[in-house]
Amino acid sequence: MAIDKFISFESSAVPLAIENVDTDQIIPARFLKATTRDGFGENLFRDWRFDKNNEPIKDFVLNDDTYTGKILVAGKNFGSGSSREHAAWAVHDYGFKVVVSSFFADIFRGNSLNNGLLPVQVSEEFLVKVFAEIDKDPNAQFKVDLENQQFTIVATGESTGFEISSYKKECLLNGFDDIDYLISIKDKIEAFEEARA
Amino acid sequence: MGKTLFDKIWDSHVVSEIEGGPSVVYIDRHLVHEVTSPQAFAGIEKRGVPVFRPQNTVATPDHNVPTIDQHLPIKDALSKFQVDKLTENCERHGVDLYGLNHPYQGIVHVIGPQLGLTQPGMTIVCGDSHTSTHGAFGAVAFGIGTSEVEMVLATQCIMQPKPKKMRITVDGELGKGVTAKDIVLYIISKVTAGGGTGYFVEFAGSAIRGLSMEGRMTVCNMSIEMGARGGHIAPDETTFEYIKGRERAPQGEEFDKAVAKWKELKTDDDAVFDKEIVFDAADIEPMITYGTNPGMGAKIVSNIPSLTDIEDSEKASFEKSMNYMGFNAGDQLVGKPVDYVFVGSCTNGRIEDLREVAGFVKGKKKAENITAWIVPGSKQVEKMAQDEGIVEVLEEAGFKLRQPGCSACLAMNDDKIPEGKYAVSTSNRNFEGRQGPGSRTLLASPLTAAAVAVSGKIIDPRELL
Ligand code: SF4
């Protein structure tokens, strides 16, 4: 069951200049009652996006048409808290392909990579520049180049590298899935079990 | 060079290493609950593969279940569907299930240790971040996402890069009224909510060694709240004593053999950690959180930091948090009014916690302005509370014991703190809306929660001891 192949792209970005955005903000627990993986985008950042009467909260960035694009830019320690993969599903299902931050929580990072959502970790300084660029021009374009592990502010040409294991990079580029891989090495797993029995 | 406890367990579970990538790690124990598993079961079915090692897997519903009238059908249709789905999936795939009303049902991290499923040296995972709790037994235990739940169901393995290693040592004697929960809230307030990211933590030192298994579970439970992959404590006599005779632990001669092996599970003297932090137990006092992440904690007797104490880059988040909580920078904590008290969760919903609360409230009365929810972590905890007379003590003081589940810890069921209300909670997360939309959570120990329930406001529990 392959995931979508990750293709490098250019896009504008949506800024969320908040630190420690936790998984309960990304997708509140009361929306975790589904038994499929679909539709979580609707409730992404639910309680920041909608008030108690389900009316959009105007000044929240996802409700502001000024900002669009496939890249979400967020403050440091994005995705802390719960292991709910629903958080990664929600971000991806909403239409984001990349999240840029200066720091990601471990489990969120892993969950994202398993779902074709690329976490791009940049330095604090570079993150400030990215936010500043969007501030200047909400339509500012950014280039995500997974092959070369580069994230670029198109207008200024400023570029930064980002880390990803070569294995995960191959998986994303080719749409491979860890589960298929593990199933393919079942013999090895059985041999391991026998050896330690 | 010597090995750490973590190295010993991790290395002995690596099936293979991938060039430039993660390790394939074998999992001894897989715990499953209703919220993060349905998509994983659906996944293996779609692939046409069975559960690889159903005997290594145990399931229970906890997140969604009501905490009153559990004998009746669940009213919320979606919750009912999810809980039913778990039952169906377990039946179809031959997985042991402790379903609703089963005498062993409960919060997955409470029942694992209680049944002896959690043992030293094991690798343990669950689609839940507080799987770190099981590290208290000297296991390598951590939370995983649903794709990984599917991996474990299909192959009993996950793929993970090896984390870095950190040791946090707490030496010395704890003061009066200072509990395991205060230790861990103190540590997180120092390390920050993201300070442990990328690490697996070993807790050590005389103050940690001196804790009961319940206390150790509280500490390890919250290691995830500093961003750590997990946290653990080397097993010792306290650990072996706890496990002995539990239903799913090794019995008789097998147990003795196991203990002999478990005794080797400790960090070698010459092992090196990537990071070491040392605290003095004497510096720790009863703690409470005032903000919207678990790193925003302070001694109860202190004030909320003032703006000048906050780094520039964090000011905006701090102010947002104060705004949400309805607090001002610099406010004194003691004396602030509270509306709800929640005692429960996988952090502090075990029998020892209920004993502590009952011991404190005995002969006292609940304050009028407080709504208190006391929720046992499992059916077995509930039964012990009944057998030990804890239920009567609580009732005399004006409290009621509810039925087991996650409850107001994450408010997926009806146990929601209303908007704008303040709850002193023994759970582990004070995120915005965690206990219900608009709820305001202050994390504290069961002892502090009991003191607040009696006095109706934030109070230093030592004043009432
Ligand atoms: S009690 Fe709370 S933290 Fe623990 S498993 Fe349940 S929801 Fe998660």
Side-chain angles (χ1 to χ4, degrees):
Chain A
M1 268 195 335
I3 52 173
D4 290 344
K5 287 187 189 177
F6 191 98
I7 298 161
S8 296
F9 64 90
E10 262 184 47
S11 163
S12 53
V14 178
L16 185 65
I18 301 171
E19 295 179 353
N20 297 315
V21 174
D22 60 72
T23 46
D24 279 74
Q25 307 320 314
I26 299 173
I27 182 90
R30 60 187 192 283
F31 299 111
L32 306 185
K33 294 182 183 182
T35 53
T36 65
R37 288 170 180 247
D38 313 315
F40 287 99
E42 259 173 63
N43 294 313
L44 175 67
F45 297 121
R46 180 73 200 194
D47 293 335
W48 287 347
R49 231 165 112 198
F50 299 98
D51 67 15
K52 15 179 216 288
N53 306 316
N54 294 325
E55 294 296 327
I57 297 170
K58 284 231 175 55
D59 55 7
F60 184 63
V61 51
L62 292 195
N63 295 326
D64 183 345
D65 295 344
T66 324
Y67 304 104
T68 56
K70 292 191 277 188
I71 303 170
L72 178 67
V73 186
K76 78 164 179 240
N77 200 21
F78 187 84
S80 57
S82 139
S83 62
R84 59 186 73 154
E85 195 159 313
H86 314 67
W89 298 338
V91 174
H92 192 255
D93 189 54
Y94 184 86
F96 293 116
K97 296 274 175 281
V98 168
V99 185
V100 178
S101 176
S102 56
F103 201 74
F104 289 94
D106 273 341
I107 305 184
F108 180 82
R109 177 199 295 274
N111 284 343
S112 298
L113 289 168
N114 281 335
N115 287 279
L117 176 68
L118 177 66
V120 169
Q121 185 161 320
V122 302
S123 68
E124 297 266 341
E125 298 76 48
F126 201 86
L127 188 68
V128 170
K129 283 186 191 162
V130 173
F131 277 125
E133 197 62 29
I134 304 173
D135 227 20
K136 222 168 45 192
D137 172 13
N139 254 321
Q141 297 290 303
F142 301 91
K143 187 171 171 207
V144 183
D145 177 353
L146 177 57
E147 283 89 345
N148 299 305
Q149 296 173 230
Q150 288 290 318
F151 181 76
T152 308
I153 304 174
V154 173
T156 63
E158 278 173 288
S159 195
T160 183
F162 58 87
E163 295 278 324
I164 181 170
S165 75
S166 54
Y167 167 79
K168 271 292 166 195
K169 183 161 123 182
E170 281 307 300
C171 286
L172 282 181
L173 289 172
N174 296 302
F176 293 157
D177 170 324
D178 279 355
I179 309 179
D180 286 336
Y181 173 78
L182 286 173
I183 291 173
S184 77
I185 60 159
K186 249 186 194 164
D187 289 355
K188 244 189 188 168
I189 298 170
E190 278 166 354
F192 174 87
E193 285 177 323
E194 259 166 49
R196 72 199 279 261
Chain B
M1 193 176 65
K3 283 181 149 198
T4 66
L5 169 61
F6 180 80
D7 291 328
K8 289 180 186 178
I9 302 172
W10 179 275
D11 295 351
S12 68
H13 285 81
V14 170
V15 175
S16 69
E17 312 258 10
I18 295 172
E19 277 260 331
S23 309
V24 175
V25 181
Y26 191 82
I27 300 303
D28 297 316
R29 191 72 80 207
H30 184 201
L31 304 169
V32 172
H33 65 86
E34 77 278 22
V35 177
T36 55
S37 66
Q39 294 87 350
F41 278 109
I44 59 165
E45 285 173 11
K46 205 160 160 197
R47 289 170 207 268
V49 299
V51 175
F52 185 56
R53 295 289 176 252
Q55 69 274 22
N56 296 8
T57 313
V58 172
T60 194
D62 53 4
H63 283 64
N64 253 321
V65 302
T67 56
I68 43 173
D69 292 337
Q70 285 186 348
H71 60 290
L72 299 176
I74 300 176
K75 280 197 215 125
D76 179 276
L78 290 173
S79 297
K80 182 171 185 318
F81 187 73
Q82 222 175 34
V83 171
D84 289 348
K85 198 85 197 165
L86 180 69
T87 310
E88 263 170 57
N89 282 331
C90 289
E91 276 170 7
R92 194 160 50 240
H93 293 280
V95 169
D96 274 347
L97 169 75
Y98 300 124
L100 203 54
N101 296 310
H102 188 286
Y104 293 166
Q105 177 268 340
I107 303 172
V108 64
H109 311 308
V110 175
I111 72 168
Q114 213 164 42
L115 293 171
L117 288 163
T118 303
Q119 294 162 25
M122 281 184 162
T123 48
I124 303 176
V125 297
C126 172
D128 188 283
S129 55
H130 293 100
T131 308
S132 57
T133 313
H134 307 267
F137 292 79
V140 165
F142 49 85
I144 55 176
T146 297
S147 293
E148 291 165 308
V149 172
E150 190 176 334
M151 292 176 211
V152 184
L153 289 177
T155 66
Q156 207 57 38
C157 288
I158 55 168
M159 298 176 70
Q160 289 260 338
K162 190 174 181 180
K164 289 184 286 183
K165 289 155 293 181
M166 185 193 301
R167 177 159 60 190
I168 298 181
T169 305
V170 188
D171 274 321
E173 293 243 344
L174 292 175
K176 187 177 86 166
V178 181
T179 66
K181 183 63 163 286
D182 301 302
I183 299 180
V184 71
L185 285 175
Y186 177 84
I187 292 174
I188 302 165
S189 77
K190 298 289 177 198
V191 178
T192 78
T197 306
Y199 292 93
F200 197 97
V201 177
E202 178 172 344
F203 296 100
S206 58
I208 301 287
R209 295 248 79 86
L211 295 173
S212 65
M213 284 318 294
E214 283 85 353
R216 294 180 189 187
M217 285 188 248
T218 301
V219 171
C220 292
N221 173 276
M222 288 193 73
S223 47
I224 180 76
E225 305 311 335
M226 52 184 144
R229 206 71 190 81
H232 64 187
I233 297 168
D236 59 12
E237 287 305 324
T238 309
T239 322
F240 311 144
E241 202 44 48
Y242 181 99
I243 298 173
K244 193 171 186 177
R246 295 201 179 252
E247 170 143 350
R248 301 203 46 182
Q251 309 288 336
E253 217 174 286
E254 289 299 311
F255 179 77
D256 298 335
K257 268 199 237 155
V259 169
K261 270 200 347 225
W262 294 341
K263 283 189 171 158
E264 288 162 27
L265 292 169
K266 53 176 179 257
T267 292
D268 297 332
D269 290 338
D270 56 344
V272 178
F273 288 83
D274 299 290
K275 192 168 181 175
E276 293 247 25
I277 308 178
V278 180
F279 295 111
D280 182 352
D283 291 338
I284 307 176
E285 290 184 43
M287 297 284 294
I288 196 160
T289 64
Y290 53 83
T292 53
N293 74 57
M296 299 174 84
K299 295 177 179 170
I300 291 190
V301 293
S302 68
N303 293 3
I304 295 174
S306 46
L307 263 187
T308 47
D309 300 334
I310 306 293
E311 292 201 24
D312 277 348
S313 67
E314 316 218 322
K315 277 205 170 100
S317 300
F318 178 79
E319 284 181 320
K320 182 174 184 298
S321 175
M322 287 301 101
N323 201 11
Y324 181 85
M325 292 300 290
F327 290 158
N328 295 307
D331 278 2
Q332 182 186 322
L333 286 160
V334 165
K336 280 198 178 293
V338 175
D339 310 290
Y340 283 76
V341 166
F342 171 63
V343 176
S345 87
C346 58
T347 317
N348 284 122
R350 286 175 286 269
I351 189 64
E352 189 178 68
D353 303 308
L354 296 190
R355 284 185 194 134
E356 177 134 59
V357 171
F360 180 87
V361 302
K362 191 167 187 171
K364 302 188 181 77
K365 283 275 181 242
K366 179 182 82 65
E368 290 266 326
N369 60 312
I370 296 284
T371 304
W373 292 334
I374 304 188
V375 183
S378 71
K379 275 295 209 197
Q380 282 189 309
V381 172
E382 180 187 45
K383 171 127 192 347
M384 282 188 270
Q386 285 159 352
D387 294 348
E388 294 179 19
I390 288 175
V391 173
E392 282 90 54
V393 173
L394 291 176
E395 281 176 5
E396 265 166 44
F399 300 93
K400 234 180 114 60
L401 194 69
R402 296 170 83 96
Q403 290 174 303
C406 293
S407 179
C409 175
L410 90 166
M412 268 189 91
N413 67 357
D414 288 337
D415 305 344
K416 293 182 173 52
I417 309 295
E419 186 178 351
K421 298 290 184 197
Y422 292 97
V424 167
S425 175
T426 67
S427 55
N428 44 44
R429 286 194 174 134
N430 51 354
F431 297 154
E432 284 183 32
R434 171 79 178 183
Q435 298 195 284
S439 62
R440 292 161 161 170
T441 302
L442 298 96
L443 303 173
S445 72
L447 184 64
T448 299
V452 169
V454 165
S455 72
K457 53 187 183 351
I458 298 184
I459 186 172
D460 180 348
R462 292 171 298 192
E463 278 181 35
L464 300 179
L465 286 179

